[in-house]
Amino acid sequence: MTQTEVPVLPPVREVHEALGGMSGVLGRASAPWRPEPRAGESATTTDRGFQMFEGGVVYTGGATVAVLGEKDRAHRARGGGLGELGYPRASSRTEAGAPAWTYQVFENGVVYESPVGLAAVVGVWNETHRGQGGGTGALGYPLAPVVDEGAAGAFQRFERGVVYRGSAGTWPVVGVADEVHRRLGGGTGSLGYPTAPLRMQNSTFGYQTFRHGVVYTSPRGTFPVVAPWTRPTDPRVGARVRSATPSPRRCGRADPSDTRSSSAGCSTTAPTGCTRW
């Protein structure tokens, strides 16, 4: 080590050497290791901190992990280890079955990188995305950062859907339901933000509620019913949907999904179940 070189000490040194040392992807150290103590710790007792290199940063604390290249820049733009993503939990990995996609897991989210760009999925967005199977699930990979729509809420777009966060919670809108929702203006359009996830009544019929309406899906297609409702034809049974939410009364059948009484004014199209008006 020459006088101009910054020392690299364990455990950072092991990660640095595993990545090729000064001739590898990290390159030379540009600053000494810097502690970032948790509450109740001091700079002299903590193992939590980071060291910066030419090609990235190595973080210590629980795990010793390098964050490299574009992921490092995205992480630092969000405050680094003390920001919204937090400290890295593992090294960058290639997604199984999608070699062009890589991802790195942090304390509070995931950074994805692909040929279409780089996007972080953080906090409730990450929880919802993971609940849908992550990058290989129903939503797919993120395409853009979160978009703030002011008082209405915010959303993040993925390959096959969108995650919305509004006054009624954080919910995904996926697939054909997302296509219908976007045609009607998305979260600030005629349907508004989702108020619940897609609910399947059986293997083929389902619905998703929004602030100003419902999107129904069935083998006949996916159709919206939007307030003020104009009594559109229900895609499942051909009955008419009331223009305002009625006071529900059961139709007296053992199976409320039975639609045989639809001609008498009993419809099962509303999310509340079998309703008469």
Side-chain angles (χ1 to χ4, degrees):
M1 183 179 70
T2 68
Q3 290 183 338
T4 59
E5 290 175 6
V6 177
V8 181
L9 304 176
V12 175
R13 184 169 60 201
E14 284 77 2
V15 172
H16 184 235
E17 291 176 350
L19 292 172
M22 288 187 292
S23 59
V25 290
L26 277 168
R28 295 176 181 270
S30 56
W33 181 82
R34 177 180 173 181
E36 284 188 326
R38 303 175 182 87
E41 294 181 332
S42 70
T44 58
T45 61
T46 186
D47 65 347
R48 185 179 173 96
F50 65 91
Q51 185 164 11
M52 299 181 67
F53 293 80
E54 294 171 321
V57 181
V58 176
Y59 291 86
T60 64
T64 304
V65 180
V67 185
L68 306 172
E70 291 299 319
K71 292 186 181 70
D72 169 43
R73 284 183 275 278
H75 182 235
R76 281 196 274 171
R78 289 166 173 78
L82 297 180
E84 59 179 352
L85 279 163
Y87 269 51
R89 292 297 195 193
S91 301
S92 180
R93 297 178 181 177
T94 299
E95 187 72 80
W101 285 90
T102 62
Y103 68 94
Q104 187 160 12
V105 177
F106 294 80
E107 290 175 302
N108 305 317
V110 183
V111 176
Y112 292 88
E113 188 174 3
S114 77
V116 300
L118 180 144
V121 186
V122 184
V124 294
W125 317 96
N126 180 49
E127 293 170 14
T128 304
H129 184 233
R130 288 174 59 194
Q132 294 288 308
T136 56
L139 281 162
Y141 297 95
L143 299 179
V146 172
V147 176
D148 188 348
E149 294 190 300
F155 68 89
Q156 184 165 18
R157 190 168 303 286
F158 295 80
E159 288 180 301
R160 294 182 289 277
V162 182
V163 175
Y164 290 91
R165 183 180 187 183
S167 58
T170 303
W171 307 108
V173 184
V174 183
V176 181
D178 170 47
E179 296 173 13
V180 170
H181 185 236
R182 279 196 279 167
R183 283 201 299 269
L184 293 173
T188 57
S190 55
L191 277 166
Y193 270 55
T195 59
L198 176 69
R199 291 190 170 103
M200 297 302 296
Q201 294 176 302
N202 53 42
S203 61
T204 56
F205 298 110
Y207 65 89
Q208 184 164 13
T209 57
F210 296 79
R211 285 194 65 188
H212 307 303
V214 185
V215 172
Y216 293 92
T217 182
S218 78
R220 298 187 183 183
T222 301
F223 303 98
V225 180
V226 183
W229 297 358
T230 55
R231 300 172 66 85
T233 299
D234 180 85
R236 180 165 52 131
V237 297
R240 298 289 181 174
V241 179
R242 185 173 170 82
S243 59
T245 303
S247 299
R249 284 193 294 141
R250 294 294 177 183
C251 298
R253 297 192 304 276
D255 181 7
S257 67
D258 184 358
T259 62
R260 289 174 295 175
S261 299
S262 60
S263 61
C266 181
S267 171
T268 61
T269 61
T272 52
C274 182
T275 307
R276 190 186 299 278
W277 57 83

